Amino acid sequence: MSARAWLLSDQPASRRQASLGNWYRNWLAFRANPLAMVGLAIVLLLIVVAVLAPVLPLQSPIAQALGNRLQPPSAEHWFGTDELGRDIFSRICFGARITLTIVIMVVAIVVPIGLLVGTVSGYVGGPLDIVLMRITDIFLAFPRLVLALAFVAAIRPGLESAIIAIALTSWPPYARIARAETLTLRETDYVRAARLQGASPLRILWHHIVPLCTASVVVRMTLDMAGIILTAAGLGFLGLGAQPPLPEWGAMISTGRDYLLDQWWVATIPGLAIFAVSLGFNLLGDGLRDVLDPKRA
Amino acid sequence: MSAQAIEIDGLTVSFGAGARQLFALQDVSFDVQEGEAFGLVGESGSGKSTVLNVLAGLFPSHGGAIRIGGETFGMRRSLPQRRLVQMVFQDPYGSLHPRHTVDKSLSDPAIIHGLDDVEGRVRRVLADVGLKPEHRFRYPHQLSGGQRQRVAIARALILEPRILLLDEPTSALDVSVQAEVLNLLRRLRRERGFTSIMVSHNLAVVAYMCDRVAVMNRGRILEIGAGTALAEGRFEHAYSRQLYRASSGYDRALLDELWEAR
Amino acid sequence: MSDTVLDVQNLRITFPSHRGPVDVVRGVSFSLGRERLGIVGESGSGKSLTGRAIMGLVPRPGQVRADRIAFMGQDFSTMRGRDLRKIRGKRISMVLQDPKFSLNPVMKIGHQIEESYRLHVGGDRRQAERETLAALEAVKIRNPETVYHLYPHQLSGGMGQRVMIAMMLIPKPDLLIADEPTSALDVTVQLQVLAILEDLVRERGMSLIFISHDLQLVAAFCDRVLIMYAGKVVESCRASELDKVQHPYARGLLASVPRLGDDRPELPTLQRDASWAQ
């Protein structure tokens, strides 16, 4: 039996086969969407470049060569050099590591907090729900970039502060989504059946509600990724994110704006990188939504 | 211990308070004997499903007393108490978790209650409700409506409850599938001897399945009688008779009477 | 037939799937006079899609093909979009199972019916209001002035369905397609809605296609019955002769329903035969 037939079998013989088969069917559906595949390719490229940057035969992203400054794109410097003579291609590749770090860290902080606050608030209800939701409202009331700015300014500028600031300002919408879904899921017959059978609230949350909320939270997260990358770039642009000489894309645009008219590549190339990655995440998110939407039969 | 499996005394459920208080159930009392099949019929809003939900412990609050096997059942129930009463829901498309395989839906309750030989129990109960081993690792969306309802019945039975609550178990199914599920429920009751309460708006189904039937309207029980009496239209109350005639097919004469009466 | 209202020949509806196109309706033909025609079948039999195809409401990506769908002798395939729209919605109307999905939730009942009237008939506001109240009265709503000012969520299921019928009857259609119009209703309310339909059919000489899963109900209510299975009409007969049907599917369907006073130890179940779907 081929692997494909094994995966698509409608008579799976174990939980593992059933679950893998389900993933495979989702993958088939996802694969049928060309735009989503473009998004996936961009995101994969980001990951590959970020992981391999140190071992690729790149020039140093921070070594200055002042005799070589502001060179236009050429065979030697594919994307040209910046105002300190650093190779922009190399800086973009190393910058991918920073972008990826931000993305992973924000997801690692935001998704658990959002899911936890949202599902508990929605399932338990009562005074706890009110308290948690008002806290969420407070965070929601601040514009993301402004709160991030205040936060970074209060601690100290740097990549870690930027990540924490973004995470702190990003979780409330996820808590809201998770809560709204939980409120509907709580009244479904399958959750009532689980209650009837004596499942503890913890078990219901973890086994029944979280798996269904996760899909929409992950989809929303992917769609929001563009905003997060842009916020990070914005902080970098304002000098409050990653500090020089780190090759953060936003900071690169910031320094490049002085040369925008005569040496366009210095600011434009990192701008394009931000654009491409944001677009990639958006397309990926759209594709994931079509496949994972729990309302789909 | 009494021979009554279920004793319900003065059950009352209401929403709101004061002048705006609405009663979903008002002073509902009935007993069900050990091994008996009891039916509740009525139209929407009659409170028949509310009775089941209260019995199942899925309702936050109520007045009156529920005794099961002589023991008073409150709102908070222990695991052994939960195990005693299980329920099959109306909509087979909504009562199974979409991301759980049949296997998980069935083994979870057994694990919660710490039963031994979960593997064997799952296999036996699947066979018992007429499903094949090949269905065991499917997701609900890979099953037909009738198969899903069989899984839902298996999920209730794996805990070997003494009391099975059936909330319109076939109203969402096609008639040919309904016949299969009704046959299955009758066979299981014969083999396992559990007590059951079935709720339905379909008089013929309830009369066919139940030993005794209560007719409900607006949160009250109007009368209780034998299933055969219901089938023959020998109920006393005017509302029961009207329900009987309306269920017997399209009847223009009855309708004109209804309109006159309003 | 001299007085043919609707003629459908070889209707096919196809949906694409990852295993290739699937024929959901496979060559349905019937013609309808001034009568009540019931279309009965189980879920997946294609009965609802058949009704929707006549209205041009088959959801994407479904494809509808037919040798002929003709209304009052006019073949749909030869007509342009605008003329078609004039027939569908005006001379042919449709009532669906759940009125909650068909009524605008933020608009008063009266205004919705008025809008429909002014769209199809024209006339000024006052006339539209008069006609609306008359339409509500025609579906046996006892206090039309009150209902006029209600929003859809304030109606009970039976009331909502009657409002839907009132709205669909505004353009005085020649044909009404009712898709499970009473399945969500209690038995007594169901009877009332059916009676309203019956009166309207009789008084206005309207034709009715009544789509339902309930064989007995259709038998009692319609003049003629088509029984569908797997996208095909397997049997067609006069409603009064339903107990004489020949096809094993139709017979099995009839036998599997518990009746009042049923004392069979076991209900006969349908043994589906692959040849039925051929």
Side-chain angles (χ1 to χ4, degrees):
Chain A
M1 188 159 54
S2 74
R4 186 184 153 87
W6 184 78
L7 284 166
L8 285 180
S9 161
D10 56 4
Q11 303 172 10
S14 69
R15 272 192 196 194
R16 207 172 60 104
Q17 187 184 356
S19 142
L20 287 175
N22 208 32
W23 282 106
Y24 185 64
R25 265 185 292 273
N26 281 344
W27 163 243
L28 287 183
F30 184 83
R31 206 175 61 176
N33 180 346
L35 278 179
M37 287 303 283
V38 170
L40 181 67
I42 294 175
V43 172
L44 282 180
L45 184 70
L46 174 79
I47 294 172
V48 168
V49 166
V51 170
L52 293 185
V55 295
L56 288 175
L58 294 168
Q59 298 168 24
S60 163
I62 48 174
Q64 304 180 5
L66 292 174
N68 212 7
R69 54 196 295 271
L70 299 173
Q71 295 295 311
S74 64
E76 196 191 344
H77 301 288
W78 289 357
F79 290 165
T81 61
D82 68 4
E83 78 285 358
L84 295 172
R86 296 171 296 197
D87 181 48
I88 292 181
F89 180 69
S90 158
R91 285 180 70 76
I92 293 286
C93 291
F94 277 90
R97 291 173 77 84
I98 297 176
T99 304
L100 195 66
T101 309
I102 295 173
V103 164
I104 291 175
M105 292 304 292
V106 169
V107 170
I109 300 172
V110 164
V111 169
I113 295 182
L115 272 178
L116 184 74
V117 172
T119 52
V120 168
S121 181
Y123 190 74
V124 177
L128 184 68
D129 179 33
I130 295 173
V131 171
L132 285 176
M133 278 303 112
R134 289 303 80 77
I135 295 175
T136 309
D137 286 343
I138 292 169
F139 277 94
L140 208 54
F142 287 100
R144 179 189 283 180
L145 192 60
V146 175
L147 188 63
L149 273 177
F151 191 78
V152 172
I155 310 177
R156 67 181 168 80
L159 194 59
E160 303 80 18
S161 316
I163 290 171
I164 295 173
I166 293 172
L168 270 184
T169 52
S170 318
W171 67 266
Y174 301 97
R176 282 289 189 83
I177 295 175
R179 176 175 176 270
E181 293 236 338
T182 305
L183 284 180
T184 6
L185 293 172
R186 191 175 69 170
E187 297 308 321
T188 56
D189 282 348
Y190 46 87
V191 170
R192 280 152 44 87
R195 270 217 304 277
L196 171 71
Q197 291 177 319
S200 62
L202 208 63
R203 187 183 189 96
I204 292 177
L205 275 177
W206 187 243
H207 282 266
H208 294 258
I209 292 180
V210 167
L212 289 174
C213 289
T214 310
S216 42
V217 165
V218 165
V219 167
R220 174 76 197 263
M221 190 84 230
T222 321
L223 288 170
D224 270 4
M225 212 45 91
I228 286 163
I229 292 169
L230 290 176
T231 312
L235 287 173
F237 182 86
L238 296 169
L240 295 168
Q243 294 300 300
L246 280 183
E248 203 274 320
W249 294 347
M252 287 167 72
I253 300 182
S254 170
T255 53
R257 74 195 144 141
D258 297 339
Y259 315 98
L260 197 55
L261 291 182
D262 299 320
Q263 286 88 21
W264 56 267
W265 58 90
V266 182
T268 309
I269 299 289
L272 283 177
I274 294 171
F275 167 74
V277 171
S278 306
L279 180 71
F281 273 109
N282 248 330
L283 294 177
L284 179 67
D286 267 342
L288 283 180
R289 180 178 52 202
D290 291 347
V291 173
L292 292 181
D293 187 356
K295 275 140 216 131
R296 205 176 50 120
Chain B
M1 257 193 33
S2 64
Q4 303 295 350
I6 307 169
E7 295 161 83
I8 293 176
D9 193 19
L11 197 62
T12 300
V13 170
S14 64
F15 304 98
R20 292 188 141 207
Q21 194 169 26
L22 286 172
F23 284 93
L25 290 181
Q26 230 171 335
D27 196 20
V28 168
S29 306
F30 63 91
D31 295 343
V32 183
Q33 280 169 22
E34 188 70 45
E36 191 182 21
F38 192 82
L40 290 170
V41 270
E43 299 190 297
S44 47
S46 62
K48 57 190 193 306
S49 289
T50 313
V51 173
L52 278 204
N53 282 317
V54 171
L55 267 174
L58 290 174
F59 222 78
S61 68
H62 64 82
I66 299 173
R67 276 185 300 282
I68 294 175
E71 187 186 348
T72 302
F73 272 46
M75 252 82 78
R76 296 192 139 260
R77 296 186 180 178
S78 64
L79 272 185
Q81 283 181 328
R82 290 244 175 240
R83 189 177 166 186
L84 220 52
V85 185
Q86 288 297 312
M87 178 153 152
V88 176
F89 295 85
Q90 172 176 11
D91 178 11
Y93 292 87
S95 70
L96 297 178
H97 195 285
R99 298 278 162 87
H100 288 178
T101 56
V102 172
D103 177 67
K104 183 165 170 60
S105 289
L106 296 184
S107 45
D108 259 11
I111 293 167
I112 292 170
H113 288 266
L115 305 185
D116 57 347
D117 187 23
V118 174
E119 168 83 19
R121 282 173 193 270
V122 169
R123 259 189 279 127
R124 282 194 299 274
V125 80
L126 270 180
D128 238 15
V129 297
L131 288 171
K132 300 202 177 75
E134 68 197 47
H135 294 120
R136 182 169 160 196
F137 293 101
R138 287 198 195 172
Y139 288 93
H141 67 86
Q142 294 168 300
L143 300 172
S144 69
Q147 288 170 336
R148 288 182 200 211
Q149 203 58 309
R150 284 171 194 264
V151 175
I153 293 170
R155 176 179 60 186
L157 290 182
I158 197 162
L159 293 178
E160 293 162 354
R162 292 307 307 151
I163 293 163
L164 191 64
L165 306 175
L166 304 159
D167 187 3
E168 305 250 15
T170 60
S171 69
L173 304 174
D174 278 325
V175 282
S176 62
V177 183
Q178 164 173 288
E180 291 169 17
V181 172
L182 292 182
N183 285 340
L184 170 70
L185 286 170
R186 275 172 74 119
R187 174 171 64 78
L188 289 170
R189 197 165 74 85
R190 225 171 27 239
E191 290 170 2
R192 300 187 168 219
F194 50 73
T195 309
S196 70
I197 300 187
M198 180 190 229
V199 153
S200 179
H201 67 278
N202 189 325
L203 238 59
V205 167
V206 168
Y208 180 65
M209 295 293 289
C210 299
D211 304 325
R212 276 194 312 142
V213 179
V215 178
M216 289 191 70
N217 189 26
R218 301 186 185 192
R220 292 173 185 275
I221 289 187
L222 298 181
E223 61 185 314
I224 300 178
T228 46
L230 179 72
E232 290 155 16
R234 284 191 282 110
F235 268 41
E236 308 272 306
H237 202 282
Y239 176 79
S240 319
R241 305 182 70 87
Q242 181 186 317
L243 208 58
Y244 173 79
R245 280 182 66 188
S247 302
S248 310
Y250 180 62
D251 179 349
R252 194 59 209 249
L254 168 67
L255 208 68
D256 295 333
E257 271 173 46
L258 284 181
W259 262 318
E260 306 262 315
R262 278 204 313 171
Chain C
M1 215 184 287
S2 58
D3 194 17
T4 304
V5 176
L6 184 77
D7 185 32
V8 175
Q9 292 302 324
N10 196 18
L11 174 71
R12 310 185 75 84
I13 303 175
T14 313
F15 277 85
S17 80
H18 52 256
R19 295 199 184 115
V22 177
D23 290 337
V24 191
V25 173
R26 306 179 301 157
V28 166
S29 304
F30 62 91
S31 69
L32 173 81
R34 300 265 172 211
E35 59 180 337
R36 291 171 294 183
L37 175 72
I39 302 183
V40 195
E42 297 192 291
S43 46
S45 61
K47 57 185 192 303
S48 284
L49 279 173
T50 301
R52 283 166 175 268
I54 298 164
M55 286 298 282
L57 289 177
V58 172
R60 273 140 125 11
Q63 283 200 336
V64 181
R65 278 166 299 141
D67 292 352
R68 181 178 152 90
I69 301 180
F71 177 74
M72 300 283 190
Q74 288 175 287
D75 194 334
F76 282 4
S77 63
T78 63
M79 294 168 72
R80 277 179 307 158
R82 258 188 65 192
D83 301 325
L84 258 182
R85 275 198 297 279
K86 255 186 203 157
I87 290 188
R88 290 170 172 162
K90 191 165 177 181
R91 304 191 60 192
I92 310 178
S93 275
M94 189 160 186
V95 178
L96 298 171
Q97 178 171 352
D98 195 339
K100 292 256 150 50
F101 295 122
S102 318
L103 292 169
N104 182 345
V106 295
M107 207 169 157
K108 285 182 181 173
I109 297 297
H111 293 164
Q112 294 193 44
I113 303 181
E114 258 177 43
E115 191 178 83
S116 161
Y117 180 83
R118 297 183 68 179
L119 181 75
H120 290 299
V121 186
D124 62 15
R125 244 230 144 83
R126 190 161 301 166
Q127 191 184 351
E129 189 179 332
R130 240 188 349 260
E131 289 291 331
T132 298
L133 291 175
L136 287 174
E137 228 161 317
V139 292
K140 303 252 162 57
I141 286 177
R142 282 151 58 99
N143 34 5
E145 284 89 359
T146 319
V147 173
Y148 184 96
H149 291 288
L150 293 181
Y151 287 95
H153 71 269
Q154 295 169 305
L155 300 177
S156 66
M159 192 84 101
Q161 201 56 285
R162 280 190 258 169
V163 166
M164 266 321 284
I165 294 173
M167 192 147 127
M168 290 306 149
L169 294 174
I170 280 280
K172 304 214 187 310
D174 298 288
L175 168 61
L176 182 69
I177 302 173
D179 187 0
E180 304 264 7
T182 60
S183 305
L185 307 177
D186 282 327
V187 274
T188 45
V189 184
Q190 181 176 346
L191 285 189
Q192 293 174 3
V193 171
L194 289 176
I196 290 164
L197 284 175
E198 185 187 20
D199 289 348
L200 290 166
V201 168
R202 212 180 34 226
E203 286 158 18
R204 302 191 179 186
M206 193 173 69
S207 305
L208 177 73
I209 296 182
F210 188 90
I211 299 168
S212 173
H213 67 280
D214 189 334
L215 207 53
Q216 268 118 342
L217 183 73
V218 168
F221 182 68
C222 295
D223 305 314
R224 205 151 60 86
V225 182
L226 302 181
I227 298 170
M228 283 187 71
Y229 178 75
K232 298 191 111 167
V233 175
V234 293
E235 178 126 10
S236 113
C237 64
R238 299 216 60 76
S240 51
E241 289 161 5
L242 194 65
D243 49 345
K244 295 188 198 118
V245 286
Q246 292 303 316
H247 196 277
Y249 172 70
R251 297 207 67 81
L253 213 53
L254 276 173
S256 65
V257 187
R259 290 153 201 266
L260 282 167
D262 212 323
D263 55 359
R264 293 176 285 181
E266 192 160 315
L267 297 168
T269 54
L270 207 53
Q271 301 303 321
R272 284 158 207 276
D273 193 319
S275 67
W276 299 351
Q278 296 305 303

